[in-house]
Each structure stands twice: as C-alpha cells, then as structure tokens.
Amino acid sequence: MDEDNNPFAGSGVWAGSWEDTSTAFGGMNSVYGYTPPSVPPSLESSSVLAPELAPQESFPSQLRHEEAEHHTEHLSDDDTEDGDSDTVDINTVVSHIGSVKESQYKEHIAIVDYGSIRDHGQTAVAYTIDYANTLVMRRYSDFDSLRKALVRLFPTVVIPPIPEKHSVVKYLVNPLNAKNDLRIIEKRTRMLSVFLQRCLELPQVREHYIWRKFLDPTADWAEVMRTPPISVIPQSNLHAPPLEPTKPSPLHLLLPIPHATSINNFKPREEDKVTDQEFRDYEHIFKMYRAHTQTMEKSIKRQKRHFKGLVKDLGELGAYYNAFSLENTYEMSNGIEKTGQAIDSAFLNSEALAFKILTTLQEPVSDISRTSNVALSVLHFRKLKEVQLFIIDTTIKRRRQRIDALKSAQAQAERLSQVLRRNAEQSPTIADAVRRLDKGEGVQKVSNPWARLFNAGSSATSTDDTSLMNDAEREEEVAKLMTELDKLDDCHKVILKDIELVNKAVKENCGELIAYFQSKWKTLMEDYTESLLIWLRENLNAWEEAKKEVDEMEVPVMPLPR
C-alpha cells in the first residue's frame, strides 16, 4: 500500500503489507496518546501597475517596465531582514501586547482511525476524522491541499502547519517496511489531529465553506479544489483584498508585485515607523522561538535515542537475569528473580517514557517551531503590502515630476515662439522657423547613442528630451500621464485601506499566537515533568522491592573441594 506521498509509488516498492490497521493494530486507542492543544481565535474579519494587466490605451509602452527596474533606488541598505534579533527581550516585547484571552471553544475534532483504501486504482492511506458524530475519510494529500487553500483564503491568519512530506532521500535513508510506515502514519495521525483542532478553534476557518466541505463525507474534495471560491483567488494574494481574497477588485489586480530583493532593505514611511517597529518586535520573537526550538529538537532527539538504547539494553539484561534465576537452585533465586523483575520494570517504564518524549515534547516543540515559520510568512506578507505602498508613492511622485517637466518645456517653447515671431521680420531664417512651427512641424530629433546612458538608471524623466518634442507630443503625453495618475490615486487609496486592515488583523493574530505559545510551553513542561516523575517513581518502587528481596538472601556456604 502506498502512503500518500511515497516517491516510489507505482514502482513496485510498497509502503507496507497490511490492509486494515484498525484490525491489525487495534485502532487508535493505543497510539493517540495526548489531547491536541488549543489556540486562541484571531481577528475575523514590480512596477506601479502590472504591465500585462494595465489597459494599453492608458499606459504608453515606454512606461510599462521602468518602475519595475528602478523602484528600489531609494531603499536603504542598512536595514536587514534579520536585524538584531538576539538583542530583543521577549518579556519586554510581550509586556506591551496586553492580555489576550485564550480560546474558549470547547468542541473537539480528532482522527480516530486510519487504514488502506482504493483510490483511482491505487492503494493509499486514509485517515478517519470524527467531528460532531460524523466520520469522514481523507488522505494526506487532502490535508495538504486544505492547508494551501486556507493560506490563500486567509493571508493574515497563522494557519497551523501539517507534518511535512517525506522526500526520496528520507525513504532511502529509512527503507520502506511496515514497521517504519506504521511509525510515520501514527506520527502523522497525532500531528494532523493537532492541525484539525487548531483550525477548528480559528473562527475564520471553522465558519468557512471550504472547511465544512472538507468535513462533509459526501463532498468530492478534488472537485471542491477546482471550483469557486478557490478557483477565483488570484495567483498572488497581493492582487486581492487581504480579508476577502475571493473578491478581487479591478484596482487590486493593478497593484504591483514587489521584487524579492526589495523587501530586505525596505524602510517605511516616517508616519509608519512606530507601527513598523511593533511588527519588527513580533518578528524578532518568532525568530527566537524558531532558533531555540530547533536547538531543543536536536537535544530531544538525542535524549530519545538514549532512552531507546537504554530500553534495548534493559530488555536483554532482564532476560539474562530471569533465565539465571530459573537455573539457580539455592536460596539466591528469589533475589535474582526480583532483580530481573526490577530490570523488566525499568525496561517498560523507559519504553513508555521514550514514547512520552515523542508525543508530549518532541512533536509539540516541532509544532511550535513550524508555527513560528508560518507567523514569519504572515509578517512577510504584511511587509510586502507596505512595499506596494512605497512603489505607488514613488511612482506618483515620478509621474508628477514628469508632468511638471513637460509643462515647463511647453511654457518655455511658447516664450521662445513669441520671441521668434517678434524677430521674424528682420531674419528670413527665423521667419522660416516660425512658418514650420505654425504648420506643426517639430525640430528634427538627433539620434544619440549616449542619450540613455544615465537616463536608463532613472524613471523620473523619459528617454525623449522634452525640449525636442512638439506641442502635440507634449500634450499627448501629459494627457496619458494624467490618466495614469488618476489610476494611481485610486490604487493608493486601495493599498492604504489594505494596510490598515492587514495591520489590525496581523497584530491581533500575532499577539494571540504568542499567548498560545506561552500557554503551550507551560503545559508542555508540566506534562514532561510529570512523565519524568512517574518514570522515576515506578523505577524507585521496583528497585526498593528488589533490594528488600536481595537483603533477605542467604548465600549458602559451599564446601571446599578436597
């Protein structure tokens, strides 16, 4: 049977030989070892114009790509993405966030079983979801497409992560067999249950049509992904209203898509610096969470390997002691047997602790790490909206400068014409020039190969010298630029409204996510501490009983050989 993203699917290499895990392994009761955490709900709620989308009658061809090449010229190079993340104190930043209420949503959703299904002629793993007394089966690829759809529908919301796909390299390092596949599937089951519960606690998600369809056993999920609302979302969320991406306006479709290199060195407007610093603080916090949890994950993996090795050694040692007690006919057999039993108890307790480390420590820490990455992506989206505003502001300024230059050239040409007319009676040459101007003929333009040498680096002026244009050409360009300015002013209003909505939504979402992290860390440490205490207490009891039996042992005096 093929797991959903098995890179060897169809190659004759199977991911396992079992057909129904609910029968073969007794369902989920033995592996679903902890309650998924909860997350507080969040808020409900290039160039200046993309050249391929801009109306051709409104935007002359020579202006289509100039902003895309030069809009970063005013960006500062002293403001990097990472910043001084290590110098920010989490407690200091959290103190100005204020109190955030935790989620009070009480409904629960979980994966209660998994097994093999036949889908389009292939055998694959399906997970059975239990919600509101309704069971629905979904594959891993369905969870993956659901999350991608939610990210597109809610760009300002931190959508919980799902367990990663397994690459070809991982399959080669960890060969395919039923045991390895079962371990992967059980882990996915637990983490996908956490994903579902956290999504359920987000009001935007649980009230959406896509979420309801995902939990509808009669819905064709592939068809849902091919039809509205998913099919009407623009390819980039930057071309859609941030809170309603399924309703893109014509003006949103004209907004610029910033270059990837522009965001790292972007500096906000003076009036936005306080807000920008607040979001930088959030960014620093999530980067620290990511860095610390990644380091912690490595330590946890080492600890888990240590306990697994200890379990193996204890299992072998306990077997030797038990076998030795059966062969001993003297009074020492009871003490040896009790020692073996204490070792067996340590074996079982350590095995349980190794599993607890996985479910109550490693997986939650990994979830926090990957959620921090998602939060950084949401903050990145907010910053891109600010860069959009910067591009539009810069382009409006350049268009106005160009209009002023054209009007200045026109006024200068009119003054020159008046002077020429006054002197035309005294000079035949001047009289001829006046006749040519009256006929609408411009001065012959001289092609200069060096004309674009410096102009290519700036879009503030056109490559055509305004002094070499006739009145009709200047008037035509001014009219086109005025039409562009009207569009740009409308885009400016749209992006300002978008940024206002994005800032409010992202700020609330980030504050609630930090509150969730703090609560999660507390629960995580309490669970791990309790597991360690149980492990120590059970081992202590077993060894105290063994010691009591060993103390009562009477070592027989063996006669010396003659």
Side-chain angles (χ1 to χ4, degrees), residues 311 346-359 531 535:
V311 166
F347 160 76
L348 296 174
N349 292 333
S350 298
E351 190 173 41
L353 180 61
F355 180 75
K356 277 291 185 179
I357 291 174
L358 173 67
T359 58
S531 298
W535 178 71

Side-chain angles (χ1 to χ4, degrees), residues 514-530:
I514 290 175
Y516 163 73
F517 279 176
Q518 292 177 317
S519 173
K520 184 62 183 175
W521 275 117
K522 182 175 182 292
T523 303
L524 185 152
M525 291 293 101
E526 287 175 348
D527 290 345
Y528 182 56
T529 302
E530 182 181 4

Side-chain angles (χ1 to χ4, degrees), residues 250-504:
L251 289 175
H252 276 98
L253 294 175
L254 295 177
L255 295 179
I257 302 296
H259 292 174
T261 56
S262 66
I263 192 168
N264 291 346
N265 298 323
F266 167 72
K267 265 198 169 181
R269 302 178 304 171
E270 189 67 31
E271 58 266 38
D272 295 331
K273 284 189 174 181
V274 174
T275 300
D276 184 75
Q277 183 57 49
E278 195 171 350
F279 285 105
R280 283 180 179 274
D281 290 342
Y282 285 120
E283 187 175 345
H284 292 320
I285 288 177
F286 292 124
K287 285 182 178 180
M288 283 191 285
Y289 266 115
R290 182 179 62 183
H292 294 326
T293 50
Q294 286 175 349
T295 303
M296 191 174 180
E297 276 189 273
K298 296 178 182 178
S299 176
I300 293 170
K301 288 179 180 179
R302 287 195 301 269
Q303 186 181 29
K304 193 176 68 172
R305 286 196 299 268
H306 163 73
F307 273 102
K308 285 186 175 181
L310 177 63
V311 166
K312 181 180 178 180
D313 293 341
L314 289 173
E316 293 179 358
L317 185 60
Y320 293 147
Y321 267 91
N322 291 331
F324 184 50
S325 67
L326 296 176
E327 295 179 2
N328 196 296
T329 58
Y330 302 100
E331 298 296 330
M332 295 175 60
S333 59
N334 290 338
I336 296 174
E337 183 180 5
K338 274 294 182 181
T339 303
Q341 290 175 358
I343 295 174
D344 289 340
S345 177
F347 160 76
L348 296 174
N349 292 333
S350 298
E351 190 173 41
L353 180 61
F355 180 75
K356 277 291 185 179
I357 291 174
L358 173 67
T359 58
T360 64
L361 193 60
Q362 182 179 345
E363 290 174 5
V365 167
S366 175
D367 181 67
I368 291 175
S369 177
R370 290 180 295 116
T371 302
S372 298
N373 266 333
V374 178
L376 290 171
S377 298
V378 172
L379 290 169
H380 181 80
F381 172 77
R382 190 206 72 85
K383 191 177 290 187
L384 286 174
K385 297 300 290 186
E386 283 196 328
V387 177
Q388 282 185 314
L389 174 61
F390 171 80
I391 296 172
I392 294 173
D393 278 340
T394 302
T395 307
I396 289 175
K397 179 180 178 182
R398 287 172 177 165
R399 294 295 187 271
R400 288 174 177 165
Q401 289 175 345
R402 177 63 178 171
I403 290 173
D404 291 343
L406 289 167
K407 289 182 176 179
S408 176
Q410 179 68 18
Q412 186 177 358
E414 291 175 355
R415 289 194 299 270
L416 178 60
S417 176
Q418 293 174 1
V419 173
L420 289 175
R421 291 180 190 280
R422 285 197 300 266
N423 295 298
E425 297 178 355
Q426 303 175 4
S427 172
T429 303
I430 295 177
D432 182 63
V434 171
R435 283 193 298 273
R436 291 174 59 193
L437 290 172
D438 290 339
K439 293 179 180 180
E441 300 176 2
V443 180
Q444 183 178 2
K445 299 176 183 178
V446 180
S447 176
N448 184 351
W450 302 102
R452 290 177 58 87
L453 179 62
F454 295 102
N455 287 338
S458 172
S459 60
T461 60
S462 172
T463 55
D464 295 326
D465 190 341
T466 55
S467 63
L468 298 180
M469 301 170 67
N470 60 34
D471 292 350
E473 290 173 332
R474 281 191 288 265
E475 290 175 0
E476 180 183 4
E477 184 172 346
V478 168
K480 290 182 178 179
L481 290 174
M482 292 299 294
T483 302
E484 288 186 19
L485 273 179
D486 289 340
K487 289 279 188 183
L488 286 166
D489 288 337
D490 291 338
C491 289
H492 191 266
K493 295 176 184 177
V494 166
I495 193 64
L496 283 177
K497 182 63 176 177
D498 281 358
I499 290 176
E500 179 184 356
L501 295 173
V502 168
N503 285 347
K504 183 179 179 181

Side-chain angles (χ1 to χ4, degrees), residues 7 52 73 101 123 133 162 164 203 250 366 386 482 502 536:
E52 66 276 10
E73 65 179 2
K101 294 182 179 180
T123 304
N133 297 322
I162 61 173
E164 62 182 3
S366 175
E386 283 196 328
M482 292 299 294
V502 168
L536 293 170

Side-chain angles (χ1 to χ4, degrees), residues 2-13 122:
D2 285 329
E3 174 57 312
D4 223 14
N5 63 330
N6 181 358
F8 299 106
S11 63
V13 182
Q122 294 184 344

